């Protein structure tokens, strides 16, 4: 039971209860209160808890107020003061109200809640961050009743979105990823200043390195800028990964790997951007974007790759509002009965097409080549051919897009003839190319012309080791041009772009790290 000495104090208590995701069963209000009367209080309280039972306490002279309350706030009951004896006049009424509410209570929630607009890039970014970090949340549209009630409880308007309300009732208005991480249980600060192994990037290669490093007794920390899993974590279904004959989603695989790393006491930091790497004698120093740094004996670079941006007029401003990079699986239910467009012909695009075909009326795959055979696994080609609502459009490029609040039209063309055409479209998911996330390495590590990290024998040219190499041996297989720094997974030049090989390289890097440490 919560009591208040004024209507405003009671409303403030109700706002806190609403933000914490708790329930209110019965509202009892005296008609005569400071600052506002009981009817005004109940009318405001209904905006927060519309299903709570409402009881007005009135004096005999205020019976007209009770009639007004029945018409204005759909009053469930009114009580005339005094109500002695309460066993006869008060308690039975409260019991009846409780019984009526228990028959259809409000829903409670222990999840994080996100309030935003349907076609809003910032709202999508918040939802995507939470989903990719496996944080349960409820999505509420600002213009719908429950979303509006949360905004009211937080003292905000529909202009103040996205709003994130954590399970403890904390309100975050237009939060950054770092603010989100700090309030939803993700770790953002290292516990130590020095480690045996720092893994940069939490895709399959990074998670593999963290699991093997920590399980073998190395003080290990895994640093991720956005979300664990990388591109593989966004995959709706991986069916050729060893040990999962029925397939496994990227999120499931990521969750298992993350829990496994934590089991072996690896630390996992999120929303931390590594902006520099340097050697300090036998120590490797990593600098964060906020000016702090950590040191380690060894480093594994596993930053993976990102999808290349589709450079066409009108698309940049529609990103997050109908134009998405990667699978954006959180949007799949919203595509029910719609026509969607997928750009790309590799495995990630094929997995997305199969997944979205369960929701969309038709999935259009746009590819530049003549068919899928050059870039996609045969099992996926066979699946796509067997699904009736997936249509592959060969020799098709996207040359532009347009729309108001969201994507509305795509401009396509055949690159052979240059013949353009326009289609109505609200959804486009892009899976093209692969760009390594290595700009931050600058000149500290040798990279190839496309930015991929060169390792092992690739660093030895005409029998000459890389400039600055100080050891009397050639670099190990996954070792970079800085001794003690290794690369694994998609970020490495000439690597096999598959989940299994990335995990294997992460494990192999740890084996080579032991050799490196033993020789120091």
């Amino acid at each position: 039971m919560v009591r208040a000495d004024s209507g405003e104090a009671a409303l403030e208590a109700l706002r806190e209860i609403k933000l914490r995701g708790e329930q209110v069963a019965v509202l009892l209000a005296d008609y005569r209160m400071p600052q506002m009367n009981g009817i005004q209080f109940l009318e405001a309280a209904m905006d927060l808890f519309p299903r709570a039972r409402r009881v007005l306490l009135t004096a005999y002279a205020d019976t007209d107020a009770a009639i007004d309350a029945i018409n204005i706030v759909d009053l469930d009951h009114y009580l005339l003061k005094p109500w002695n004896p309460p066993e006869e006049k008060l308690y039975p009424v409260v019991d009846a109200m409780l019984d009526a509410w228990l028959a259809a209570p409000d829903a409670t929630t222990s999840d994080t809640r996100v309030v935003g607009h349907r076609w809003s890039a910032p709202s999508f970014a918040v939802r995507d961050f939470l989903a990719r970090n496996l944080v349960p949340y409820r999505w509420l549209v600002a213009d719908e009743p429950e979303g509006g009630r949360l905004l009211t409880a937080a003292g905000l308007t529909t202009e103040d979105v996205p709003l994130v309300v954590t399970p403890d009732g904390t309100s975050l208005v237009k939060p950054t990823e770092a603010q989100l991480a700090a309030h939803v249980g993700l770790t953002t600060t290292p516990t130590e200043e020095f480690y045996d192994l720092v893994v940069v990037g939490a895709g399959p290669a990074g998670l593999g390195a963290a699991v093997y490093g920590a399980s073998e007794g190395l003080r290990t920390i895994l640093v991720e800028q956005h979300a664990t899993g990388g591109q593989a974590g966004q995959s709706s279904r991986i069916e050729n990964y060893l040990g999962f004959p029925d397939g496994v989603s990227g999120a499931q695989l990521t969750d298992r790997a993350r829990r496994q790393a934590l089991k072996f006491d690896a630390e996992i930091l999120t929303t931390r951007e590594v902006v520099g790497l340097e050697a300090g004698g036998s120590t490797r120093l990593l600098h964060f974007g906020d000016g702090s740094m950590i040191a380690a004996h060894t480093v594994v670079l596993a930053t993976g790759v990102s999808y290349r941006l589709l450079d066409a007029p009108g698309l940049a401003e529609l990103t997050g509002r109908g134009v998405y990079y990667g699978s954006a699986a959180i949007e799949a239910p919203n595509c029910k009965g719609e026509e969607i467009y997928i750009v790309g012909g590799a495995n990630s695009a094929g997995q997305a097409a199969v997944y979205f075909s369960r929701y969309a009326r038709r999935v259009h795959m746009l590819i530049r080549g003549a068919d899928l055979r050059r870039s996609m696994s045969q099992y996926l080609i066979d699946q796509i051919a067997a699904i009736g609502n997936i249509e592959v459009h060969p020799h098709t490029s996207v040359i532009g897009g347009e729309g108001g609040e969201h994507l509305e039209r795509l401009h396509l063309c055949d690159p052979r003839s240059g013949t353009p055409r326009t289609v109505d479209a609200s959804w486009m998911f892009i899976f093209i190319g692969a760009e390594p996330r290595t700009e931050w390495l600058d000149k500290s590590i040798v990279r190839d012309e496309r930015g991929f990290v060169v390792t092992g024998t690739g660093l030895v040219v005409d029998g000459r080791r890389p400039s600055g190499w100080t050891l009397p041996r050639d670099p190990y297989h996954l070792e970079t041009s800085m001794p003690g720094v290794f690369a694994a997974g998609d970020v490495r030049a000439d690597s096999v772009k598959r989940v299994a090989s990335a995990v294997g390289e992460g494990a192999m890097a740890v084996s080579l790290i032991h050799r490196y440490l033993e020789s120091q």
Side-chain angles (χ1 to χ4, degrees), residues 321-474:
R321 299 189 292 122
V323 176
Y324 306 95
Y325 288 88
S327 67
I330 58 173
E331 295 292 347
N334 296 320
C335 297
K336 189 175 181 62
E338 302 270 351
E339 299 213 2
I340 72 166
Y341 289 78
I342 291 178
V343 183
N347 276 11
S348 54
Q351 290 161 352
V354 172
Y355 179 70
F356 280 100
S357 69
R358 305 173 193 168
Y359 300 89
R361 181 171 76 251
R362 181 160 293 277
V363 176
H364 300 273
M365 293 191 70
L366 311 180
I367 61 173
R368 293 178 62 89
D371 55 45
L372 298 170
R373 288 178 294 179
R374 181 177 177 181
S375 55
M376 188 177 293
S377 296
Q378 188 61 45
Y379 83 91
L380 268 175
I381 295 174
D382 294 340
Q383 283 188 17
I384 289 170
I387 298 174
N389 65 334
I390 299 180
E391 183 177 352
V392 179
H393 300 266
H395 304 298
T396 303
S397 298
V398 177
I399 58 173
E402 58 180 299
E405 185 183 19
H406 61 89
L407 175 67
E408 296 174 3
R409 287 170 296 280
L410 284 175
H411 303 300
L412 313 176
C413 83
D414 184 332
R416 298 170 302 177
S417 64
T419 304
R421 62 189 176 98
T422 298
V423 295
D424 292 333
S426 297
W427 308 89
M428 179 172 65
F429 302 89
I430 301 167
F431 303 80
I432 57 171
E435 295 182 335
R437 303 171 181 174
T438 57
E439 310 84 13
W440 60 278
L441 291 170
D442 196 23
K443 297 180 180 179
S444 62
I445 298 291
V446 173
R447 296 173 290 157
D448 67 13
E449 65 280 359
R450 295 190 296 160
F452 290 93
V453 176
V454 181
T455 60
T457 57
L459 292 166
V460 181
V461 181
D462 296 329
R464 295 194 305 270
R465 293 165 184 157
S467 174
W469 185 262
T470 58
L471 301 181
R473 61 165 177 83
D474 289 347

Side-chain angles (χ1 to χ4, degrees), residues 185-396:
L186 302 175
T187 303
T188 60
T189 305
T191 61
E192 301 181 36
E193 295 181 353
F194 193 91
Y195 294 85
D196 294 319
L197 169 61
V198 176
V199 182
V200 185
L207 287 166
V211 168
Y212 279 89
S215 68
E216 295 178 10
L218 299 177
R219 289 171 297 169
T220 302
I221 186 167
L222 176 62
V223 182
E224 170 56 46
Q225 184 176 356
H226 299 294
T228 52
Q231 283 191 3
Q234 295 178 278
S235 176
S236 54
R237 204 74 179 165
I238 303 169
E239 298 198 49
N240 58 353
Y241 189 74
L242 186 66
F244 292 88
D246 297 322
V248 61
S249 74
Q252 290 172 320
L253 194 62
T254 296
D255 181 48
R256 293 185 182 194
R258 187 175 186 276
R259 287 189 283 115
Q260 198 170 15
L262 293 173
K263 168 188 171 183
F264 292 120
D265 295 325
E267 291 183 41
I268 300 179
L269 302 187
T270 53
T271 67
R272 296 305 299 268
E273 181 186 11
V274 181
V275 297
L277 168 65
E278 64 174 318
S282 61
T283 298
R284 302 296 172 255
L285 304 172
L286 288 118
H287 299 268
F288 292 127
D290 63 358
S292 62
M293 69 178 183
I294 54 175
H297 288 303
T298 60
V299 175
V300 171
L301 303 175
T303 50
V305 295
S306 58
Y307 292 115
R308 184 165 54 84
L309 297 181
L310 182 52
D311 186 15
L315 298 185
E317 51 268 36
L318 292 169
T319 300
R321 299 189 292 122
V323 176
Y324 306 95
Y325 288 88
S327 67
I330 58 173
E331 295 292 347
N334 296 320
C335 297
K336 189 175 181 62
E338 302 270 351
E339 299 213 2
I340 72 166
Y341 289 78
I342 291 178
V343 183
N347 276 11
S348 54
Q351 290 161 352
V354 172
Y355 179 70
F356 280 100
S357 69
R358 305 173 193 168
Y359 300 89
R361 181 171 76 251
R362 181 160 293 277
V363 176
H364 300 273
M365 293 191 70
L366 311 180
I367 61 173
R368 293 178 62 89
D371 55 45
L372 298 170
R373 288 178 294 179
R374 181 177 177 181
S375 55
M376 188 177 293
S377 296
Q378 188 61 45
Y379 83 91
L380 268 175
I381 295 174
D382 294 340
Q383 283 188 17
I384 289 170
I387 298 174
N389 65 334
I390 299 180
E391 183 177 352
V392 179
H393 300 266
H395 304 298
T396 303

